[in-house]
Amino acid sequence: AQKVTQAQTEISVVEKEDVTLDCVYETRDTTYYLFWYKQPPSGELVFLIRRNSFDEQNEISGRYSWNFQKSTSSFNFTITASQVVDSAVYFCALRERVGNQFYFGTGTSLTVIP
Amino acid sequence: AAGVIQSPRHLIKEKRETATLKCYPIPRHDTVYWYQQGPGQDPQFLISFYEKMQSDKGSIPDRFSAQQFSDYHSELNMSSLELGDSALYFCASSKGLAGARDTQYFGPGTRLTVL
């Protein structure tokens, strides 16, 4: 079963619009870690944010913000005033307390149209 | 800041050949992970090493093997290559301390094409 679900396969927005990428996860662990990575067309995976399960404080970094809600097992990512350079595939990932592997969602392909 | 280095960046092999992918972690990182990302797919965990010992194993085929050396670099050896092995192979590294260990920093990937 998929531990991380990104229901939005592809999203297209016009430049300067806001966009929210959804991420829903599933785990029985009480301690876990959530991540967002960006994969631009060049292919590398760029780390964006890490959030611990015991820290539900939302975070803002420039045009990026993250909304972590344990009650709904969601960790959504919002880009404000999107730019063409934001076009990429965005992956949400989960790491449980036990084990070393990341469980990735299937990714959301974001296209920002100029 | 230094990042994870992977070599080669691109590799083309014929079916049934062997390939070796190399990964150099971020300095002072002691944990290395390997992932395979097929076209249009999410990265799938293959295997990880902590302090030169295998620490976790995912969906790595028996035809593949890996190890971590004394300088913490890692090599993924792939034998009897199949067309389905064509993918982007990522290496990631992390530091073996509680908390900080949980963030994996990824290399640029090696794109393997099997013809």
Side-chain angles (χ1 to χ4, degrees), chain A residues 1-30:
Chain A
Q2 193 78 15
K3 285 182 179 278
V4 179
T5 301
Q6 294 179 254
Q8 305 148 307
T9 306
E10 295 180 3
I11 299 177
S12 292
V13 297
V14 177
E15 201 171 19
K16 296 181 185 167
E17 287 185 342
D18 299 347
V19 59
T20 296
L21 310 182
D22 298 334
C23 173
V24 174
Y25 61 91
E26 181 181 331
T27 180
R28 291 183 179 178
D29 280 5
T30 54

Side-chain angles (χ1 to χ4, degrees), chain A residues 66-79:
Chain A
W66 291 268
N67 183 2
F68 177 31
Q69 303 246 346
K70 280 180 84 168
S71 60
T72 55
S73 297
S74 65
F75 186 42
N76 297 336
F77 172 31
T78 298
I79 301 175

Side-chain angles (χ1 to χ4, degrees), chain B residues 12-31:
Chain B
I12 299 175
K13 290 286 185 178
E14 300 274 343
K15 278 172 54 177
R16 292 181 287 277
E17 285 190 324
T18 61
T20 297
L21 278 53
K22 296 185 179 182
C23 170
Y24 298 86
I26 292 172
R28 292 181 292 284
H29 281 195
D30 50 18
T31 308

Side-chain angles (χ1 to χ4, degrees), chain A residues 2 33 35 37 39 42-45 47 50 91 95 99-102 104-107, chain B residues 33 35 37 41-43 45 48 55-56 88 90 99-106 108:
Chain A
Q2 193 78 15
Y33 308 87
F35 303 81
Y37 286 85
Q39 187 172 42
S42 50
E44 71 272 25
L45 278 170
F47 166 74
R50 163 179 172 263
F91 289 98
R95 182 186 179 283
N100 292 306
Q101 62 175 293
F102 274 25
F104 282 87
T106 49
Chain B
Y33 314 77
Y35 291 82
Q37 186 180 24
Q41 306 289 317
D42 52 298
F45 173 73
S48 64
S55 55
D56 207 355
L88 188 57
F90 284 107
R101 185 180 184 193
D102 304 292
T103 299
Q104 295 182 13
Y105 295 91
F106 285 78

